[in-house]
Amino acid sequence: MYDDILLPVAPGGKGNDAIPHAKSLAERYDATVYVVSAIDTIAQTLRGPQAGAFAERVEDAAEERVETVTAELESAGVDVVGNVIRGEPVDVIENAIGDVGADIVVMPSHTRSGLQRVLLGSVTEKVVRVSPVPVVTVPMADREEDADAAERAKDAGNAGDGAGAE
């Protein structure tokens, strides 16, 4: 059913809850995963003394991210191909769907709402609208909220530990 899976990853991103889903689909269908990261062209249009350094850091981060994800999938026995492409993320992903012959796209979805959603938009949301193939969206856990919740639980547990010690 799925021979070719497209897995877009953000440059410099740390976590991506979509990776295990792409891995699972690849294992189930003996599919190849195509990991792609877009280097947004806005970094190339900046002016000033730091613009070149910024663009280079973005490109390095994208290459490192693709290498990390491809290595993770390869170590799990998944056939994987990685690529970094210059361009607007939605355009890069849309073109990659056709270029690799993707049967499905697996990508993360951040749960933003209100003004943040209006101002930032969502690459995933746009890809869902333009994609000629199914798009599996995986909600991203908010790492900061998770860490705060874990810390509160730890503090609550510690508070109870000393209650009966006297």
Side-chain angles (χ1 to χ4, degrees):
M1 175 175 245
Y2 302 121
D3 295 320
D4 300 297
I5 300 167
L6 184 64
L7 176 64
V9 296
K14 299 294 182 232
N16 183 334
D17 296 336
I19 295 168
H21 290 273
K23 177 182 165 282
S24 177
L25 285 170
E27 291 171 341
R28 179 177 179 142
Y29 295 105
D30 193 29
T32 300
V33 175
Y34 293 87
V35 179
V36 65
S37 187
I39 301 174
D40 197 339
T41 53
I42 189 78
Q44 305 301 317
T45 61
L46 297 174
R47 301 268 188 259
Q50 300 300 319
F54 174 73
E56 191 174 306
R57 283 194 311 270
V58 170
E59 187 167 354
D60 290 346
E63 289 172 1
E64 183 177 324
R65 185 69 179 135
V66 168
E67 288 172 11
T68 301
V69 173
T70 56
E72 178 182 337
L73 292 170
E74 282 175 345
S75 71
V78 172
D79 290 331
V80 63
V81 176
N83 203 2
V84 175
I85 303 169
R86 292 183 191 283
E88 299 294 323
V90 174
D91 295 337
V92 166
I93 295 166
E94 185 177 13
N95 291 335
I97 292 168
D99 292 347
V100 304
D103 302 304
I104 190 167
V105 179
V106 180
M107 59 190 306
S109 174
H110 296 278
T111 53
R112 294 186 179 110
S113 60
L115 185 58
Q116 190 178 32
R117 183 177 192 168
V118 171
L119 293 176
L120 298 176
S122 167
V123 170
T124 302
E125 216 174 300
K126 293 171 187 169
V127 170
V128 167
R129 286 196 301 257
V130 300
S131 176
V133 300
V135 178
V136 173
T137 60
V138 181
M140 290 292 289
D142 187 339
R143 307 287 184 230
E144 208 171 281
E145 282 182 21
D146 289 350
D148 290 346
E151 188 64 32
R152 284 192 302 273
K154 180 181 168 188
D155 289 345
N158 289 340
D161 289 344
E166 293 182 356

PDB file of all heavy atoms in Angstrom, residues 83-123:
ATOM      1  N   ASN A  83      17.683  14.154   2.414  1.00  0.00           N
ATOM      2  CA  ASN A  83      17.994  15.246   1.502  1.00  0.00           C
ATOM      3  C   ASN A  83      17.656  16.586   2.152  1.00  0.00           C
ATOM      4  O   ASN A  83      16.658  16.705   2.852  1.00  0.00           O
ATOM      5  CB  ASN A  83      17.194  15.081   0.208  1.00  0.00           C
ATOM      6  CG  ASN A  83      17.826  15.803  -0.956  1.00  0.00           C
ATOM      7  OD1 ASN A  83      18.882  16.410  -0.837  1.00  0.00           O
ATOM      8  ND2 ASN A  83      17.165  15.738  -2.092  1.00  0.00           N
ATOM      9  N   VAL A  84      18.499  17.577   1.897  1.00  0.00           N
ATOM     10  CA  VAL A  84      18.251  18.951   2.316  1.00  0.00           C
ATOM     11  C   VAL A  84      18.016  19.753   1.047  1.00  0.00           C
ATOM     12  O   VAL A  84      18.807  19.685   0.107  1.00  0.00           O
ATOM     13  CB  VAL A  84      19.449  19.523   3.111  1.00  0.00           C
ATOM     14  CG1 VAL A  84      19.228  20.990   3.436  1.00  0.00           C
ATOM     15  CG2 VAL A  84      19.678  18.713   4.375  1.00  0.00           C
ATOM     16  N   ILE A  85      16.916  20.521   1.025  1.00  0.00           N
ATOM     17  CA  ILE A  85      16.532  21.252  -0.182  1.00  0.00           C
ATOM     18  C   ILE A  85      16.262  22.705   0.170  1.00  0.00           C
ATOM     19  O   ILE A  85      15.609  23.004   1.170  1.00  0.00           O
ATOM     20  CB  ILE A  85      15.269  20.620  -0.817  1.00  0.00           C
ATOM     21  CG1 ILE A  85      15.525  19.139  -1.122  1.00  0.00           C
ATOM     22  CG2 ILE A  85      14.856  21.377  -2.072  1.00  0.00           C
ATOM     23  CD1 ILE A  85      14.274  18.370  -1.495  1.00  0.00           C
ATOM     24  N   ARG A  86      16.752  23.611  -0.668  1.00  0.00           N
ATOM     25  CA  ARG A  86      16.494  25.039  -0.476  1.00  0.00           C
ATOM     26  C   ARG A  86      15.109  25.387  -1.007  1.00  0.00           C
ATOM     27  O   ARG A  86      14.716  24.939  -2.069  1.00  0.00           O
ATOM     28  CB  ARG A  86      17.509  25.880  -1.236  1.00  0.00           C
ATOM     29  CG  ARG A  86      18.897  25.786  -0.686  1.00  0.00           C
ATOM     30  CD  ARG A  86      19.833  26.729  -1.460  1.00  0.00           C
ATOM     31  NE  ARG A  86      21.210  26.466  -1.129  1.00  0.00           N
ATOM     32  CZ  ARG A  86      21.783  26.859  -0.009  1.00  0.00           C
ATOM     33  NH1 ARG A  86      21.096  27.532   0.870  1.00  0.00           N
ATOM     34  NH2 ARG A  86      23.045  26.570   0.229  1.00  0.00           N
ATOM     35  N   GLY A  87      14.410  26.211  -0.233  1.00  0.00           N
ATOM     36  CA  GLY A  87      13.107  26.690  -0.680  1.00  0.00           C
ATOM     37  C   GLY A  87      12.141  26.857   0.474  1.00  0.00           C
ATOM     38  O   GLY A  87      12.437  26.508   1.616  1.00  0.00           O
ATOM     39  N   GLU A  88      10.998  27.409   0.150  1.00  0.00           N
ATOM     40  CA  GLU A  88       9.934  27.557   1.142  1.00  0.00           C
ATOM     41  C   GLU A  88       9.484  26.161   1.558  1.00  0.00           C
ATOM     42  O   GLU A  88       9.269  25.299   0.697  1.00  0.00           O
ATOM     43  CB  GLU A  88       8.756  28.332   0.548  1.00  0.00           C
ATOM     44  CG  GLU A  88       9.095  29.741   0.105  1.00  0.00           C
ATOM     45  CD  GLU A  88       9.476  30.636   1.274  1.00  0.00           C
ATOM     46  OE1 GLU A  88       8.884  30.499   2.365  1.00  0.00           O
ATOM     47  OE2 GLU A  88      10.389  31.457   1.104  1.00  0.00           O
ATOM     48  N   PRO A  89       9.326  25.899   2.849  1.00  0.00           N
ATOM     49  CA  PRO A  89       9.015  24.550   3.317  1.00  0.00           C
ATOM     50  C   PRO A  89       7.823  23.888   2.633  1.00  0.00           C
ATOM     51  O   PRO A  89       7.907  22.719   2.242  1.00  0.00           O
ATOM     52  CB  PRO A  89       8.770  24.751   4.812  1.00  0.00           C
ATOM     53  CG  PRO A  89       9.626  25.932   5.161  1.00  0.00           C
ATOM     54  CD  PRO A  89       9.566  26.827   3.959  1.00  0.00           C
ATOM     55  N   VAL A  90       6.728  24.602   2.465  1.00  0.00           N
ATOM     56  CA  VAL A  90       5.549  23.987   1.836  1.00  0.00           C
ATOM     57  C   VAL A  90       5.857  23.603   0.391  1.00  0.00           C
ATOM     58  O   VAL A  90       5.505  22.502  -0.053  1.00  0.00           O
ATOM     59  CB  VAL A  90       4.318  24.920   1.915  1.00  0.00           C
ATOM     60  CG1 VAL A  90       3.148  24.336   1.136  1.00  0.00           C
ATOM     61  CG2 VAL A  90       3.914  25.157   3.365  1.00  0.00           C
ATOM     62  N   ASP A  91       6.544  24.470  -0.333  1.00  0.00           N
ATOM     63  CA  ASP A  91       6.902  24.175  -1.726  1.00  0.00           C
ATOM     64  C   ASP A  91       7.856  22.988  -1.801  1.00  0.00           C
ATOM     65  O   ASP A  91       7.713  22.118  -2.660  1.00  0.00           O
ATOM     66  CB  ASP A  91       7.546  25.390  -2.399  1.00  0.00           C
ATOM     67  CG  ASP A  91       6.590  26.566  -2.537  1.00  0.00           C
ATOM     68  OD1 ASP A  91       5.363  26.347  -2.524  1.00  0.00           O
ATOM     69  OD2 ASP A  91       7.079  27.712  -2.637  1.00  0.00           O
ATOM     70  N   VAL A  92       8.839  22.959  -0.908  1.00  0.00           N
ATOM     71  CA  VAL A  92       9.807  21.861  -0.880  1.00  0.00           C
ATOM     72  C   VAL A  92       9.086  20.540  -0.650  1.00  0.00           C
ATOM     73  O   VAL A  92       9.324  19.548  -1.345  1.00  0.00           O
ATOM     74  CB  VAL A  92      10.891  22.100   0.195  1.00  0.00           C
ATOM     75  CG1 VAL A  92      11.690  20.836   0.463  1.00  0.00           C
ATOM     76  CG2 VAL A  92      11.808  23.243  -0.230  1.00  0.00           C
ATOM     77  N   ILE A  93       8.188  20.518   0.327  1.00  0.00           N
ATOM     78  CA  ILE A  93       7.459  19.286   0.647  1.00  0.00           C
ATOM     79  C   ILE A  93       6.545  18.884  -0.499  1.00  0.00           C
ATOM     80  O   ILE A  93       6.516  17.712  -0.898  1.00  0.00           O
ATOM     81  CB  ILE A  93       6.679  19.451   1.971  1.00  0.00           C
ATOM     82  CG1 ILE A  93       7.661  19.642   3.135  1.00  0.00           C
ATOM     83  CG2 ILE A  93       5.761  18.247   2.217  1.00  0.00           C
ATOM     84  CD1 ILE A  93       7.022  20.147   4.416  1.00  0.00           C
ATOM     85  N   GLU A  94       5.822  19.841  -1.057  1.00  0.00           N
ATOM     86  CA  GLU A  94       4.923  19.546  -2.176  1.00  0.00           C
ATOM     87  C   GLU A  94       5.707  18.976  -3.363  1.00  0.00           C
ATOM     88  O   GLU A  94       5.291  17.988  -3.976  1.00  0.00           O
ATOM     89  CB  GLU A  94       4.161  20.810  -2.589  1.00  0.00           C
ATOM     90  CG  GLU A  94       3.113  20.555  -3.663  1.00  0.00           C
ATOM     91  CD  GLU A  94       2.322  21.805  -4.015  1.00  0.00           C
ATOM     92  OE1 GLU A  94       2.719  22.923  -3.626  1.00  0.00           O
ATOM     93  OE2 GLU A  94       1.307  21.646  -4.709  1.00  0.00           O
ATOM     94  N   ASN A  95       6.840  19.575  -3.690  1.00  0.00           N
ATOM     95  CA  ASN A  95       7.662  19.081  -4.798  1.00  0.00           C
ATOM     96  C   ASN A  95       8.262  17.715  -4.491  1.00  0.00           C
ATOM     97  O   ASN A  95       8.358  16.855  -5.360  1.00  0.00           O
ATOM     98  CB  ASN A  95       8.767  20.073  -5.141  1.00  0.00           C
ATOM     99  CG  ASN A  95       8.220  21.337  -5.764  1.00  0.00           C
ATOM    100  OD1 ASN A  95       7.151  21.356  -6.357  1.00  0.00           O
ATOM    101  ND2 ASN A  95       8.955  22.429  -5.598  1.00  0.00           N
ATOM    102  N   ALA A  96       8.674  17.519  -3.239  1.00  0.00           N
ATOM    103  CA  ALA A  96       9.272  16.241  -2.841  1.00  0.00           C
ATOM    104  C   ALA A  96       8.273  15.101  -2.966  1.00  0.00           C
ATOM    105  O   ALA A  96       8.651  13.975  -3.304  1.00  0.00           O
ATOM    106  CB  ALA A  96       9.812  16.325  -1.420  1.00  0.00           C
ATOM    107  N   ILE A  97       6.996  15.366  -2.720  1.00  0.00           N
ATOM    108  CA  ILE A  97       5.969  14.333  -2.866  1.00  0.00           C
ATOM    109  C   ILE A  97       6.023  13.754  -4.273  1.00  0.00           C
ATOM    110  O   ILE A  97       6.052  12.536  -4.462  1.00  0.00           O
ATOM    111  CB  ILE A  97       4.559  14.892  -2.552  1.00  0.00           C
ATOM    112  CG1 ILE A  97       4.441  15.227  -1.065  1.00  0.00           C
ATOM    113  CG2 ILE A  97       3.471  13.899  -2.978  1.00  0.00           C
ATOM    114  CD1 ILE A  97       3.198  16.039  -0.706  1.00  0.00           C
ATOM    115  N   GLY A  98       6.075  14.631  -5.260  1.00  0.00           N
ATOM    116  CA  GLY A  98       6.146  14.176  -6.655  1.00  0.00           C
ATOM    117  C   GLY A  98       7.503  13.612  -7.030  1.00  0.00           C
ATOM    118  O   GLY A  98       7.593  12.586  -7.709  1.00  0.00           O
ATOM    119  N   ASP A  99       8.566  14.265  -6.548  1.00  0.00           N
ATOM    120  CA  ASP A  99       9.919  13.837  -6.910  1.00  0.00           C
ATOM    121  C   ASP A  99      10.242  12.426  -6.447  1.00  0.00           C
ATOM    122  O   ASP A  99      10.892  11.672  -7.159  1.00  0.00           O
ATOM    123  CB  ASP A  99      10.966  14.811  -6.350  1.00  0.00           C
ATOM    124  CG  ASP A  99      10.909  16.177  -7.022  1.00  0.00           C
ATOM    125  OD1 ASP A  99      10.249  16.319  -8.072  1.00  0.00           O
ATOM    126  OD2 ASP A  99      11.531  17.120  -6.469  1.00  0.00           O
ATOM    127  N   VAL A 100       9.803  12.065  -5.231  1.00  0.00           N
ATOM    128  CA  VAL A 100      10.117  10.732  -4.712  1.00  0.00           C
ATOM    129  C   VAL A 100       8.976   9.745  -4.950  1.00  0.00           C
ATOM    130  O   VAL A 100       9.114   8.558  -4.672  1.00  0.00           O
ATOM    131  CB  VAL A 100      10.488  10.747  -3.203  1.00  0.00           C
ATOM    132  CG1 VAL A 100      11.649  11.687  -2.956  1.00  0.00           C
ATOM    133  CG2 VAL A 100       9.305  11.081  -2.324  1.00  0.00           C
ATOM    134  N   GLY A 101       7.863  10.256  -5.467  1.00  0.00           N
ATOM    135  CA  GLY A 101       6.709   9.381  -5.686  1.00  0.00           C
ATOM    136  C   GLY A 101       6.088   8.927  -4.384  1.00  0.00           C
ATOM    137  O   GLY A 101       5.635   7.785  -4.250  1.00  0.00           O
ATOM    138  N   ALA A 102       6.056   9.823  -3.397  1.00  0.00           N
ATOM    139  CA  ALA A 102       5.543   9.477  -2.074  1.00  0.00           C
ATOM    140  C   ALA A 102       4.082   9.037  -2.145  1.00  0.00           C
ATOM    141  O   ALA A 102       3.279   9.624  -2.864  1.00  0.00           O
ATOM    142  CB  ALA A 102       5.685  10.657  -1.118  1.00  0.00           C
ATOM    143  N   ASP A 103       3.784   7.988  -1.374  1.00  0.00           N
ATOM    144  CA  ASP A 103       2.417   7.497  -1.251  1.00  0.00           C
ATOM    145  C   ASP A 103       1.717   8.116  -0.054  1.00  0.00           C
ATOM    146  O   ASP A 103       0.486   8.094   0.036  1.00  0.00           O
ATOM    147  CB  ASP A 103       2.421   5.973  -1.065  1.00  0.00           C
ATOM    148  CG  ASP A 103       3.114   5.263  -2.205  1.00  0.00           C
ATOM    149  OD1 ASP A 103       2.701   5.464  -3.356  1.00  0.00           O
ATOM    150  OD2 ASP A 103       4.082   4.527  -1.939  1.00  0.00           O
ATOM    151  N   ILE A 104       2.523   8.634   0.885  1.00  0.00           N
ATOM    152  CA  ILE A 104       1.988   9.206   2.123  1.00  0.00           C
ATOM    153  C   ILE A 104       3.044  10.142   2.708  1.00  0.00           C
ATOM    154  O   ILE A 104       4.237   9.942   2.508  1.00  0.00           O
ATOM    155  CB  ILE A 104       1.605   8.094   3.134  1.00  0.00           C
ATOM    156  CG1 ILE A 104       0.819   8.661   4.308  1.00  0.00           C
ATOM    157  CG2 ILE A 104       2.826   7.309   3.580  1.00  0.00           C
ATOM    158  CD1 ILE A 104       0.141   7.578   5.165  1.00  0.00           C
ATOM    159  N   VAL A 105       2.586  11.158   3.424  1.00  0.00           N
ATOM    160  CA  VAL A 105       3.464  12.086   4.124  1.00  0.00           C
ATOM    161  C   VAL A 105       3.166  11.934   5.614  1.00  0.00           C
ATOM    162  O   VAL A 105       2.000  11.893   6.013  1.00  0.00           O
ATOM    163  CB  VAL A 105       3.214  13.552   3.688  1.00  0.00           C
ATOM    164  CG1 VAL A 105       4.112  14.511   4.454  1.00  0.00           C
ATOM    165  CG2 VAL A 105       3.387  13.711   2.187  1.00  0.00           C
ATOM    166  N   VAL A 106       4.215  11.834   6.414  1.00  0.00           N
ATOM    167  CA  VAL A 106       4.060  11.755   7.864  1.00  0.00           C
ATOM    168  C   VAL A 106       4.807  12.943   8.450  1.00  0.00           C
ATOM    169  O   VAL A 106       6.004  13.094   8.234  1.00  0.00           O
ATOM    170  CB  VAL A 106       4.636  10.433   8.424  1.00  0.00           C
ATOM    171  CG1 VAL A 106       4.464  10.385   9.941  1.00  0.00           C
ATOM    172  CG2 VAL A 106       3.980   9.226   7.762  1.00  0.00           C
ATOM    173  N   MET A 107       4.074  13.804   9.162  1.00  0.00           N
ATOM    174  CA  MET A 107       4.720  14.998   9.696  1.00  0.00           C
ATOM    175  C   MET A 107       4.092  15.448  11.006  1.00  0.00           C
ATOM    176  O   MET A 107       2.941  15.121  11.287  1.00  0.00           O
ATOM    177  CB  MET A 107       4.731  16.123   8.665  1.00  0.00           C
ATOM    178  CG  MET A 107       3.412  16.584   8.146  1.00  0.00           C
ATOM    179  SD  MET A 107       3.555  17.720   6.718  1.00  0.00           S
ATOM    180  CE  MET A 107       4.633  18.996   7.311  1.00  0.00           C
ATOM    181  N   PRO A 108       4.863  16.172  11.801  1.00  0.00           N
ATOM    182  CA  PRO A 108       4.347  16.632  13.091  1.00  0.00           C
ATOM    183  C   PRO A 108       3.398  17.803  12.940  1.00  0.00           C
ATOM    184  O   PRO A 108       3.436  18.532  11.952  1.00  0.00           O
ATOM    185  CB  PRO A 108       5.615  17.066  13.832  1.00  0.00           C
ATOM    186  CG  PRO A 108       6.540  17.477  12.751  1.00  0.00           C
ATOM    187  CD  PRO A 108       6.251  16.569  11.586  1.00  0.00           C
ATOM    188  N   SER A 109       2.541  17.951  13.934  1.00  0.00           N
ATOM    189  CA  SER A 109       1.624  19.078  13.977  1.00  0.00           C
ATOM    190  C   SER A 109       1.716  19.691  15.366  1.00  0.00           C
ATOM    191  O   SER A 109       1.478  19.019  16.364  1.00  0.00           O
ATOM    192  CB  SER A 109       0.196  18.598  13.710  1.00  0.00           C
ATOM    193  OG  SER A 109      -0.703  19.656  13.886  1.00  0.00           O
ATOM    194  N   HIS A 110       2.085  20.958  15.414  1.00  0.00           N
ATOM    195  CA  HIS A 110       2.140  21.658  16.696  1.00  0.00           C
ATOM    196  C   HIS A 110       0.744  22.134  17.030  1.00  0.00           C
ATOM    197  O   HIS A 110       0.001  22.561  16.153  1.00  0.00           O
ATOM    198  CB  HIS A 110       3.101  22.845  16.633  1.00  0.00           C
ATOM    199  CG  HIS A 110       4.501  22.415  16.386  1.00  0.00           C
ATOM    200  ND1 HIS A 110       5.316  21.965  17.388  1.00  0.00           N
ATOM    201  CD2 HIS A 110       5.222  22.326  15.240  1.00  0.00           C
ATOM    202  CE1 HIS A 110       6.483  21.626  16.879  1.00  0.00           C
ATOM    203  NE2 HIS A 110       6.450  21.832  15.578  1.00  0.00           N
ATOM    204  N   THR A 111       0.390  22.062  18.275  1.00  0.00           N
ATOM    205  CA  THR A 111      -0.960  22.444  18.685  1.00  0.00           C
ATOM    206  C   THR A 111      -0.974  23.895  19.130  1.00  0.00           C
ATOM    207  O   THR A 111      -0.967  24.193  20.316  1.00  0.00           O
ATOM    208  CB  THR A 111      -1.456  21.521  19.814  1.00  0.00           C
ATOM    209  OG1 THR A 111      -0.481  21.527  20.850  1.00  0.00           O
ATOM    210  CG2 THR A 111      -1.670  20.110  19.307  1.00  0.00           C
ATOM    211  N   ARG A 112      -0.966  24.772  18.155  1.00  0.00           N
ATOM    212  CA  ARG A 112      -1.037  26.201  18.441  1.00  0.00           C
ATOM    213  C   ARG A 112      -2.477  26.647  18.258  1.00  0.00           C
ATOM    214  O   ARG A 112      -3.223  26.083  17.469  1.00  0.00           O
ATOM    215  CB  ARG A 112      -0.143  26.980  17.479  1.00  0.00           C
ATOM    216  CG  ARG A 112       1.318  26.689  17.661  1.00  0.00           C
ATOM    217  CD  ARG A 112       2.144  27.610  16.769  1.00  0.00           C
ATOM    218  NE  ARG A 112       3.542  27.336  16.958  1.00  0.00           N
ATOM    219  CZ  ARG A 112       4.320  26.765  16.045  1.00  0.00           C
ATOM    220  NH1 ARG A 112       3.831  26.410  14.876  1.00  0.00           N
ATOM    221  NH2 ARG A 112       5.584  26.553  16.295  1.00  0.00           N
ATOM    222  N   SER A 113      -2.834  27.701  18.965  1.00  0.00           N
ATOM    223  CA  SER A 113      -4.181  28.219  18.800  1.00  0.00           C
ATOM    224  C   SER A 113      -4.146  29.735  18.887  1.00  0.00           C
ATOM    225  O   SER A 113      -3.128  30.332  19.212  1.00  0.00           O
ATOM    226  CB  SER A 113      -5.108  27.645  19.882  1.00  0.00           C
ATOM    227  OG  SER A 113      -4.638  28.014  21.154  1.00  0.00           O
ATOM    228  N   GLY A 114      -5.283  30.327  18.593  1.00  0.00           N
ATOM    229  CA  GLY A 114      -5.438  31.768  18.733  1.00  0.00           C
ATOM    230  C   GLY A 114      -4.487  32.570  17.877  1.00  0.00           C
ATOM    231  O   GLY A 114      -4.184  32.226  16.733  1.00  0.00           O
ATOM    232  N   LEU A 115      -3.983  33.649  18.449  1.00  0.00           N
ATOM    233  CA  LEU A 115      -3.122  34.584  17.735  1.00  0.00           C
ATOM    234  C   LEU A 115      -1.836  33.927  17.257  1.00  0.00           C
ATOM    235  O   LEU A 115      -1.362  34.186  16.155  1.00  0.00           O
ATOM    236  CB  LEU A 115      -2.798  35.785  18.632  1.00  0.00           C
ATOM    237  CG  LEU A 115      -2.006  36.916  17.981  1.00  0.00           C
ATOM    238  CD1 LEU A 115      -2.758  37.449  16.761  1.00  0.00           C
ATOM    239  CD2 LEU A 115      -1.757  38.025  18.972  1.00  0.00           C
ATOM    240  N   GLN A 116      -1.277  33.038  18.072  1.00  0.00           N
ATOM    241  CA  GLN A 116      -0.042  32.350  17.688  1.00  0.00           C
ATOM    242  C   GLN A 116      -0.250  31.575  16.387  1.00  0.00           C
ATOM    243  O   GLN A 116       0.593  31.586  15.497  1.00  0.00           O
ATOM    244  CB  GLN A 116       0.403  31.410  18.807  1.00  0.00           C
ATOM    245  CG  GLN A 116       1.781  30.842  18.587  1.00  0.00           C
ATOM    246  CD  GLN A 116       2.221  29.963  19.733  1.00  0.00           C
ATOM    247  OE1 GLN A 116       1.400  29.311  20.371  1.00  0.00           O
ATOM    248  NE2 GLN A 116       3.504  29.950  20.009  1.00  0.00           N
ATOM    249  N   ARG A 117      -1.394  30.919  16.237  1.00  0.00           N
ATOM    250  CA  ARG A 117      -1.689  30.149  15.028  1.00  0.00           C
ATOM    251  C   ARG A 117      -1.857  31.081  13.823  1.00  0.00           C
ATOM    252  O   ARG A 117      -1.383  30.797  12.729  1.00  0.00           O
ATOM    253  CB  ARG A 117      -2.950  29.327  15.235  1.00  0.00           C
ATOM    254  CG  ARG A 117      -3.271  28.447  14.058  1.00  0.00           C
ATOM    255  CD  ARG A 117      -4.484  27.620  14.370  1.00  0.00           C
ATOM    256  NE  ARG A 117      -4.643  26.583  13.373  1.00  0.00           N
ATOM    257  CZ  ARG A 117      -5.460  25.583  13.516  1.00  0.00           C
ATOM    258  NH1 ARG A 117      -6.195  25.469  14.592  1.00  0.00           N
ATOM    259  NH2 ARG A 117      -5.571  24.690  12.567  1.00  0.00           N
ATOM    260  N   VAL A 118      -2.533  32.198  14.034  1.00  0.00           N
ATOM    261  CA  VAL A 118      -2.752  33.153  12.947  1.00  0.00           C
ATOM    262  C   VAL A 118      -1.427  33.740  12.483  1.00  0.00           C
ATOM    263  O   VAL A 118      -1.155  33.835  11.289  1.00  0.00           O
ATOM    264  CB  VAL A 118      -3.719  34.278  13.392  1.00  0.00           C
ATOM    265  CG1 VAL A 118      -3.769  35.386  12.353  1.00  0.00           C
ATOM    266  CG2 VAL A 118      -5.104  33.718  13.643  1.00  0.00           C
ATOM    267  N   LEU A 119      -0.568  34.139  13.429  1.00  0.00           N
ATOM    268  CA  LEU A 119       0.691  34.776  13.082  1.00  0.00           C
ATOM    269  C   LEU A 119       1.705  33.802  12.496  1.00  0.00           C
ATOM    270  O   LEU A 119       2.408  34.128  11.547  1.00  0.00           O
ATOM    271  CB  LEU A 119       1.297  35.461  14.313  1.00  0.00           C
ATOM    272  CG  LEU A 119       0.521  36.657  14.842  1.00  0.00           C
ATOM    273  CD1 LEU A 119       1.161  37.175  16.120  1.00  0.00           C
ATOM    274  CD2 LEU A 119       0.442  37.761  13.805  1.00  0.00           C
ATOM    275  N   LEU A 120       1.805  32.621  13.068  1.00  0.00           N
ATOM    276  CA  LEU A 120       2.826  31.669  12.637  1.00  0.00           C
ATOM    277  C   LEU A 120       2.362  30.768  11.505  1.00  0.00           C
ATOM    278  O   LEU A 120       3.165  30.268  10.745  1.00  0.00           O
ATOM    279  CB  LEU A 120       3.281  30.807  13.825  1.00  0.00           C
ATOM    280  CG  LEU A 120       3.925  31.566  14.970  1.00  0.00           C
ATOM    281  CD1 LEU A 120       4.234  30.607  16.111  1.00  0.00           C
ATOM    282  CD2 LEU A 120       5.188  32.264  14.511  1.00  0.00           C
ATOM    283  N   GLY A 121       1.062  30.547  11.420  1.00  0.00           N
ATOM    284  CA  GLY A 121       0.568  29.623  10.410  1.00  0.00           C
ATOM    285  C   GLY A 121       1.042  28.218  10.731  1.00  0.00           C
ATOM    286  O   GLY A 121       1.572  27.958  11.795  1.00  0.00           O
ATOM    287  N   SER A 122       0.858  27.329   9.802  1.00  0.00           N
ATOM    288  CA  SER A 122       1.286  25.968  10.036  1.00  0.00           C
ATOM    289  C   SER A 122       1.681  25.342   8.716  1.00  0.00           C
ATOM    290  O   SER A 122       0.870  25.246   7.799  1.00  0.00           O
ATOM    291  CB  SER A 122       0.155  25.173  10.678  1.00  0.00           C
ATOM    292  OG  SER A 122       0.440  23.802  10.636  1.00  0.00           O
ATOM    293  N   VAL A 123       2.942  24.933   8.627  1.00  0.00           N
ATOM    294  CA  VAL A 123       3.405  24.245   7.427  1.00  0.00           C
ATOM    295  C   VAL A 123       2.576  22.982   7.234  1.00  0.00           C
ATOM    296  O   VAL A 123       2.121  22.688   6.130  1.00  0.00           O
ATOM    297  CB  VAL A 123       4.913  23.915   7.522  1.00  0.00           C
ATOM    298  CG1 VAL A 123       5.339  23.001   6.389  1.00  0.00           C
ATOM    299  CG2 VAL A 123       5.734  25.194   7.514  1.00  0.00           C
TER     300      VAL A 123
END
